[in-house]
Amino acid sequence: MSPAHPLDRPVWSTLTSRQADLALGDARALRFDPAYALFGAAADASPESQQALAALNVSPNGMGLVEAGAMPPPPAARVRSRTPCVQMTASALTAGGRDIAFEPLGEADAADMLALATLTAPGPFFEKTHQLGDFIGVKRDGRLIAMAGERMRPAGFTEVSGVCTHPDHRGHGYAGALMRVATQRILERGEQAFLHVVATHAATIALYQTLGFSVRTPITYTVLDGPEMSPK
């Protein structure tokens, strides 16, 4: 099933384009390698595709579905949560913004990035999530205190994700400043930036709007439980 817009089904769009090398599955259903991301998608709503998607739900962490339309989860799936979100896009940044001293993050920072994301829960973040795109961060006394980066990358688009600040350092504008830098880098590549935010988080949506993002469409984020652990 071809979506009306690539971002209506961002997981399917990215795993059939620029991040196909990270995909598990076949033409009926795909998911990210669980070391990188939680997300999966069926090609369409047919029983064959839904069965193939269910077979990919192999991680104890489960699997996440990100859909703008009425794409149901596999009939036998155990739904852990279903969260109404909005998808926001930006093709240009607003003027202004504060300058911030930041640095690129890489493999040497992987453990610190995972620890910060685990503490602050900006979204699903695993041992190789930092390899999905470019990440930048702010450090104080050698300690990572804030970061922002990239996740899904459908053709022509890149998702801003992993934006978080250590609780001891909030209130200084790090998240907004890092998001501005990350978004500008995406736009300079000739792509459009997008992101997802819980629909009820009005303050967060307002922050993103000050940067130049606008709401594109409602999106539903569904998390399926992983397979039951085998008895010992």
Side-chain angles (χ1 to χ4, degrees):
M1 181 175 67
S2 298
H5 189 284
L7 296 186
D8 287 348
R9 308 197 62 220
V11 180
W12 185 257
S13 296
T14 197
L15 291 178
T16 54
S17 59
R18 292 196 292 166
Q19 290 172 311
D21 58 321
L22 303 179
L24 306 178
D26 55 30
R28 300 169 300 167
L30 296 167
R31 74 159 294 159
F32 275 96
D33 179 326
Y36 291 85
L38 191 70
F39 308 116
D44 51 45
S46 68
E48 295 79 12
S49 293
Q50 294 299 311
Q51 183 177 2
L53 181 63
L56 293 174
N57 190 15
V58 296
S59 169
N61 294 312
M63 185 162 57
L65 314 179
V66 184
E67 302 282 352
M71 178 66 71
R78 298 184 301 275
V79 176
R80 182 188 310 166
S81 63
R82 184 176 282 115
T83 306
C85 298
V86 294
Q87 183 183 82
M88 305 182 73
T89 58
S91 55
L93 283 168
T94 56
R98 58 171 288 194
D99 292 330
I100 187 171
F102 66 90
E103 57 188 271
L105 303 177
E107 284 302 320
D109 304 294
D112 291 339
M113 296 168 74
L114 180 58
L116 181 60
T118 301
L119 175 66
T120 58
F125 203 100
F126 305 103
E127 60 181 298
K128 293 186 178 181
T129 301
H130 66 283
Q131 297 180 12
L132 292 176
D134 293 336
F135 275 80
I136 55 176
V138 175
K139 296 181 181 180
R140 289 292 178 267
D141 300 321
R143 180 187 183 196
L144 181 66
I145 63 168
M147 68 177 182
E150 303 171 355
R151 188 167 61 185
M152 288 190 276
R153 300 171 62 201
F157 303 88
T158 293
E159 181 187 22
V160 180
S161 185
V163 182
C164 54
T165 304
H166 192 282
D168 294 343
H169 296 273
R170 289 175 180 162
H172 299 286
Y174 294 134
L178 288 174
M179 275 197 64
R180 182 175 287 276
V181 174
T183 301
Q184 183 62 39
R185 289 181 165 194
I186 293 168
L187 300 179
E188 287 174 351
R189 298 199 300 258
E191 302 171 4
Q192 191 171 20
F194 73 103
L195 54 81
H196 299 103
V197 59
V198 176
T200 57
H201 290 183
T204 305
I205 294 171
L207 168 64
Y208 297 159
Q209 288 173 329
T210 66
L211 298 175
F213 284 86
S214 59
V215 174
R216 179 186 167 268
T217 187
I219 215 105
T220 301
Y221 175 43
T222 303
V223 179
L224 309 180
D225 277 336
E228 295 181 356
M229 300 298 293
S230 301
K232 294 182 179 180

